[in-house]
Amino acid sequence: MTRNTLHTAPTAPTTPTPRSTASPVPPEPRPRFRDLLAAEWLTLRSLRSTVWSYVIGALVVIAFNGGAAYDRYRYWHEYDARSRSDFVTDGMAFMYVCTTNAGIVMMLVAGAVGALAITGEYSTGQIRAVFAAVPARRSLMAAKVCVLTAAMTVFGAVAAGVSFWLTQAILGARGAGVSIGDPGALRIVVASTLLAPVSALAGVALGAVLRHSAGAVVSVVALLLVLPLVLSDDRYWGAVVGHAMPVSAWTRLVDIGYDPSAVPFPWTTTGAWAVYALWATVAAVVAVCAVHRRDQ
């Protein structure tokens, strides 16, 4: 009797799995600050609504100033010789470089654009994707602040520069215009130019804190324009708080014929420039710090 034997098939020799010789993928480098600036600039100029806001805002400011100067030009013949002479001697042409109405429009446009620059991303939810792509929130917000400040400075310079040229050309046809080299002329242009970025930074700070478009815009109007109206220069603390507002600083800087003896609590142009610098610095710091640890 034969014994059944089980034959096992020979197994093929196993070959060791070769280890991957590919080098590990290096981590993606963090974006440089200039890359963030370039991205914010691309975002700014790619939004047609923002570009049109700048263009229309500048045209409205120029129109207010030019219209006031033309009104003076048109009715020039109705003033007597002494009034005409006093107009030139007292430098009243400076009043038409940037009128009060034009300054209010500039503040409204700049403040609203600044607020919407940040609240628009919150309302659409885009801010989550942006912060996911760039976890360095403070660097990203700092880039946004820098780009907005530069754009608003150009906006203010165009509006103030063209207004100066237009108004003085109109008044110059009556022999009542001034030149940029006259004392105080450059200060008016610079003060009106910087009013735009200061107002825009205030809008960015409020937008970063409130994160709601309507609330931020209303707060900008209340803070920059309504609050100064309820403050009185006849009381010490009212004058102190009033002088600390950007619109009051701008009014002081563009008032070439300012008479300290005519007001109970006078202040200097140095103090007005300091108000500009303080508002811009504090607003930028608030905007950068507000997004650091808050949930989006």
Side-chain angles (χ1 to χ4, degrees), residues 4-281:
N4 293 332
T5 59
L6 297 176
H7 297 280
T8 59
T11 59
T14 59
T15 57
T17 303
R19 294 183 178 180
S20 176
T21 58
S23 59
V25 179
E28 186 177 352
R30 296 181 62 182
R32 296 168 296 183
F33 188 70
R34 64 181 181 181
D35 297 330
L36 298 178
L37 291 174
E40 289 298 329
W41 167 244
L42 180 63
T43 301
L44 178 66
R45 66 189 181 95
S46 62
L47 295 176
R48 293 185 178 181
S49 59
T50 303
V51 175
W52 279 111
S53 297
Y54 282 83
V55 174
I56 295 175
L59 291 177
V60 172
V61 170
I62 295 169
F64 268 107
N65 295 326
Y70 179 74
D71 185 71
R72 188 76 181 195
Y73 166 87
R74 182 180 179 182
Y75 296 101
W76 183 260
H77 64 278
E78 295 185 1
Y79 298 94
D80 56 25
R82 182 175 180 178
S83 297
R84 298 177 187 177
S85 177
D86 291 342
F87 183 91
V88 176
T89 303
D90 297 339
M92 295 181 66
F94 287 119
M95 299 171 54
Y96 296 87
V97 175
C98 192
T99 61
T100 301
N101 290 335
I104 291 175
V105 170
M106 182 178 289
M107 294 183 71
L108 287 175
V109 172
V113 169
L116 295 176
I118 181 65
T119 58
E121 295 185 355
Y122 280 107
S123 61
T124 60
Q126 183 182 357
I127 195 69
R128 298 185 182 92
V130 172
F131 284 152
V134 184
R137 298 181 178 184
R138 286 181 293 189
S139 298
L140 180 64
M141 184 58 67
K144 187 182 294 290
V145 166
C146 290
V147 171
L148 181 66
T149 301
M152 272 299 167
T153 302
V154 174
F155 163 78
V158 171
V162 174
S163 293
F164 182 88
W165 170 80
L166 179 62
T167 57
Q168 301 316 306
I170 294 173
L171 294 175
R174 298 296 190 186
V178 295
S179 67
I180 195 65
D182 290 344
L186 184 60
R187 190 180 80 192
I188 295 177
V189 175
V190 173
S192 300
T193 296
L194 296 181
L195 181 64
V198 171
S199 302
L201 288 174
V204 170
L206 289 172
V209 172
L210 299 177
R211 301 187 294 181
H212 189 273
S213 298
V217 173
V218 171
S219 298
V220 166
V221 176
L223 179 63
L224 298 181
L225 297 176
V226 177
L227 180 59
L229 295 177
V230 303
L231 299 173
S232 175
D233 289 341
D234 297 333
R235 304 292 182 181
Y236 175 76
W237 286 111
V240 170
V241 177
H243 292 171
M245 306 303 294
V247 64
S248 299
W250 171 73
T251 303
R252 173 65 181 87
L253 292 170
V254 300
D255 187 3
I256 301 301
Y258 182 77
D259 184 8
S261 62
V263 293
F265 303 102
W267 60 319
T268 64
T269 56
T270 302
W273 289 121
V275 170
Y276 266 23
L278 185 62
W279 269 80
T281 302

